[in-house]
């Protein structure tokens, strides 16, 4: 029953995140269409989206205290599929065949994830977290992760290699630490609320610092990837890398598949594969939207008497005319 609560909370939170992102996008589009441009933070609609985003992230954080990492992390695909379908209503986009096919695969994958997820006790005490931190599987995993991260960071900093795979692999390695810390902190807070105080242990504050630090650097590299590459490429690759890293960290640190049957493990992984495939299909060939301004403001060109706004001509490469056209301007046109 506790695990089911975590599943419902994670699914609802990710759906809320997809709603918030579409509301923010709608707010930006409305501001661009206004005659007098205003900062986005003056829009009530934008603040509504930010509030929903905060509630969604808070719900995700709480879900880790009730359900395994290996179940909560893959449910992030709900935000992808939710965003694809909600944008049809908010942003008046056209429903594509790829959206329907990808949504069907993702929903099927979610069903398999929930059905065959590991059923493990979710009451995680501070002493258990301490024992997990010094266990040899996690120590070996941490050493390997640090080595791989340092190699990627060397290529990123010294060799200026900013390939999307390099950036998102660093995000995924940091995300594995984030989900470990988030589950530990969330579980200890949940137990403390129930009356079993866990906040007096130093490991709670250690995991809190680890959660904040890894999350901050994760956002840094993810923003870099979003700046260099299109969202249609970043979103599916990041989802797959994040899901894999979260499952591996849950298996190694919290030993979530320790007593699971082989068939359950296979069906769970098959559900992850279907969800990832659905996300790729939804994002594939999805055109990036650009906000078009109907005129070019030339009012800041010194030494020219301008008409104020130059209307683009869609049938030629010439972008309008000036009031005083000399020979050099004509030649440029």
């Amino acid at each position: 029953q506790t695990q089911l609560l975590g599943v419902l909370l994670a699914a609802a939170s990710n759906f809320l995140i997809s709603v918030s992102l579409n509301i923010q996008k709608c707010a930006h589009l409305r501001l661009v269409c206004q005659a007098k441009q205003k900062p986005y933070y003056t829009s009530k609609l934008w603040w509504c989206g930010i509030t929903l985003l905060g509630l969604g992230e808070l719900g995700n954080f709480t879900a880790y205290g009730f359900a395994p990492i290996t179940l909560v992390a893959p449910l992030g695909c709900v935000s992808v599929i939710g965003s694809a379908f909600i944008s049809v209503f908010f942003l008046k986009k056209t429903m594509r065949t790829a959206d329907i096919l990808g949504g069907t695969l993702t929903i099927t994958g979610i069903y398999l994830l929930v059905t065959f997820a590991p059923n493990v006790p979710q009451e995680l005490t501070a002493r258990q977290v301490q024992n997990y931190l010094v266990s040899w599987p996690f120590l070996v995993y941490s050493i390997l992760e640090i080595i791989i991260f340092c190699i990627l960071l060397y290529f990123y900093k010294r060799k200026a290699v900013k390939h999307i795979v390099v950036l998102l692999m660093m995000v995924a390695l940091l995300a594995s630490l984030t989900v470990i810390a988030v589950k530990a902190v969330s579980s200890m807070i949940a137990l403390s609320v129930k009356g079993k105080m866990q906040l007096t242990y130093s490991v709670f504050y250690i995991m809190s610092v680890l959660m904040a630090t890894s999350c901050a650097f994760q956002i840094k590299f993810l923003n870099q990837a979003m700046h260099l590459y299109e969202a249609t490429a970043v979103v599916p690759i990041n989802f797959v890398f994040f899901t894999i890293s979260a499952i591996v960290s849950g298996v190694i640190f919290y030993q979530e598949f320790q007593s699971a049957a082989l068939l359950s493990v296979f069906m769970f992984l098959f559900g992850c594969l279907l969800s990832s495939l659905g996300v790729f299909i939804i994002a594939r060939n999805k055109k990036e939207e650009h906000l078009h301004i109907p005129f070019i403001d030339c009012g800041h060109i010194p030494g020219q008497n301008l008409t104020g706004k130059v209307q683009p001509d869609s049938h030629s490469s010439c972008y309008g005319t000036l009031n005083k056209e000399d020979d050099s301007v004509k030649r440029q046109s």
Side-chain angles (χ1 to χ4, degrees), residues 198-209:
Q198 305 292 314
L199 307 186
T200 55
Y201 293 87
S202 59
V203 70
F204 172 79
Y205 301 97
I206 292 173
M207 299 305 276
S208 297
V209 172

Side-chain angles (χ1 to χ4, degrees), residues 23-192:
I23 288 178
Q24 290 177 64
K25 181 69 174 177
C26 185
H28 284 295
L29 291 175
R30 286 188 180 182
L31 287 172
V32 167
C33 294
Q34 290 179 358
K36 185 179 180 181
Q37 297 298 311
K38 296 181 180 179
Y40 62 89
Y41 51 79
T42 60
S43 170
K44 294 181 180 179
L45 188 62
W46 183 83
W47 279 109
C48 178
I50 287 295
T51 303
L52 292 178
L53 180 63
L55 291 174
E57 294 295 350
L58 180 62
N60 258 333
F61 174 80
T62 308
Y64 279 103
F66 296 99
I69 290 177
T70 50
L71 181 56
V72 176
L75 287 176
C77 62
V78 173
S79 63
V80 179
I81 182 177
S83 181
F85 284 92
I86 292 172
S87 62
V88 176
F89 302 98
F90 272 97
L91 305 177
K92 307 301 181 183
K93 292 184 179 179
T94 305
M95 178 69 71
R96 305 176 304 157
T97 306
D99 295 331
I100 298 173
L101 177 60
T104 303
L105 290 174
T106 305
I107 292 172
T108 305
I110 291 173
Y111 173 77
L112 294 176
L113 287 173
V114 175
T115 304
F116 296 96
N119 190 8
V120 293
Q122 294 307 310
E123 285 202 353
L124 190 64
T125 64
R127 291 190 180 277
Q128 286 177 308
V129 175
Q130 290 175 348
N131 293 333
Y132 289 144
L133 279 173
V134 296
S135 63
W136 69 264
F138 177 67
L139 293 177
V140 172
Y141 173 72
S142 300
I143 293 171
L144 290 175
E145 187 173 85
I146 290 171
I147 292 173
I148 295 173
F149 185 82
C150 289
I151 293 172
L152 294 172
L153 191 62
Y154 169 78
F155 281 104
Y156 173 74
K157 289 288 187 182
R158 297 294 183 181
K159 302 296 184 180
V161 177
K162 297 182 179 180
H163 193 273
I164 186 171
V165 173
V166 173
L167 290 168
L168 294 183
M169 278 189 69
M170 288 193 291
V171 172
L173 291 172
L174 291 168
S176 66
L177 298 177
T178 303
V179 294
I180 288 173
V182 165
K183 180 166 180 59
V185 172
S186 179
S187 299
M188 285 188 277
I189 291 176
L191 279 178
S192 299

